[in-house]
Amino acid sequence: MENGINKVSGSMLFSEEELIEVSGLKKGGDFVEVTCGCTSHRYGDAVGKLRVFSNGNLEITCECTPGCNEDKLTPAAFEKHSGRETARKWKNNVWLIVKGEKVPLSKTAFLKYYNQASKNGNGIHKAHSGRVCHRDEFVRCSRCKKERRFRLRTKEECRIHHDALADVNWKCSDILYDRFVFPLLIMFLYDKLHLSCSSLLPHAH
């Protein structure tokens, strides 16, 4: 457990039986990566790389064309990007290649962490538009032991959160004050009342 959050090695996320003959398999530090795709009747197959994390997050790097720079897409965003006509059914429309055949994501074991996170109300949720997106995440400060909120709306914000999560000695003062969700005034009053260490953070100008 790091920063109060369980992290599971990529090699431990799925059993060997669940990974048999899955195309593009790669095991990372805290994720498993596989080849995925989504088929549009008009544009054909859009292929990508799906990363499955133990906290339920699903991230797709699109490889539909050599010049495509879309990465860290949710499956719903990848489905839309592919031009799929019947969108908002990404669990069935996004597929993996298993034993040489296209298999809907919903019929594989790769949604079990996503489903668990959705059941617990953590990590990911559906916005009012029906699109799956990230919730804000929290990381515990190693000094004051308070949990600090991180926005996960952009690639940069996701990177900052992942860096903090990976650092067992992460503390409030390691990140610029304006990276937090709360406005400066609210955080200032909060920290004064609770005597946390984030009063050491640099002040925003």
Side-chain angles (χ1 to χ4, degrees), residues 20-23 97-103:
I20 289 178
E21 293 189 55
V22 179
S23 180
I97 299 177
V98 182
K99 297 181 179 179
E101 301 290 335
K102 296 176 182 176
V103 178

Side-chain angles (χ1 to χ4, degrees), residues 27-185:
K27 298 177 183 179
D30 61 343
F31 66 86
V32 165
E33 180 181 280
V34 293
T35 298
C36 70
C38 189
T39 302
S40 164
H41 297 300
R42 181 176 181 182
Y43 301 108
D45 291 348
V47 179
K49 297 292 186 181
L50 168 67
R51 286 190 176 186
V52 180
F53 296 85
S54 60
N55 64 1
N57 285 347
L58 304 172
E59 296 180 355
I60 296 178
T61 298
C62 185
E63 299 178 345
C64 61
T65 62
C68 183
N69 295 317
E70 296 290 342
D71 66 352
K72 293 193 175 180
L73 295 172
T74 65
F78 176 67
E79 176 192 50
K80 183 177 180 180
H81 175 71
S82 72
R84 175 73 188 194
E85 292 78 7
T86 55
R88 299 192 179 184
K89 295 182 180 179
W90 62 266
K91 291 183 182 181
N92 293 321
N93 290 338
V94 176
W95 42 260
L96 308 182
I97 299 177
V98 182
K99 297 181 179 179
E101 301 290 335
K102 296 176 182 176
V103 178
L105 192 54
S106 61
K107 294 185 178 181
T108 71
F110 289 85
L111 285 181
K112 65 181 180 180
Y113 295 102
Y114 171 89
N115 292 334
Q116 185 63 42
S118 298
K119 181 179 179 181
N120 295 338
N122 295 325
I124 43 186
H125 75 297
K126 277 191 176 181
H128 295 301
S129 64
R131 176 176 174 175
V132 177
C133 58
H134 290 287
R135 287 184 185 273
D136 294 340
E137 293 282 359
F138 295 84
V139 176
R140 188 182 300 276
C141 173
S142 63
R143 181 177 294 173
C144 69
K145 307 305 181 184
K146 293 187 180 298
E147 291 190 337
R148 294 302 177 192
R149 187 190 298 264
F150 286 76
R151 288 177 59 91
L152 298 180
R153 304 294 190 274
T154 67
K155 184 191 302 186
E156 176 68 10
E157 288 171 344
C158 289
R159 185 191 65 77
I160 291 170
H161 169 253
H162 288 161
D163 288 348
L165 192 63
D167 184 359
V168 295
N169 297 314
W170 183 87
K171 54 187 179 298
C172 299
S173 57
D174 288 341
I175 192 168
L176 292 177
Y177 207 90
D178 60 1
R179 297 294 189 187
F180 291 102
V181 172
F182 298 115
L184 177 61
L185 179 58

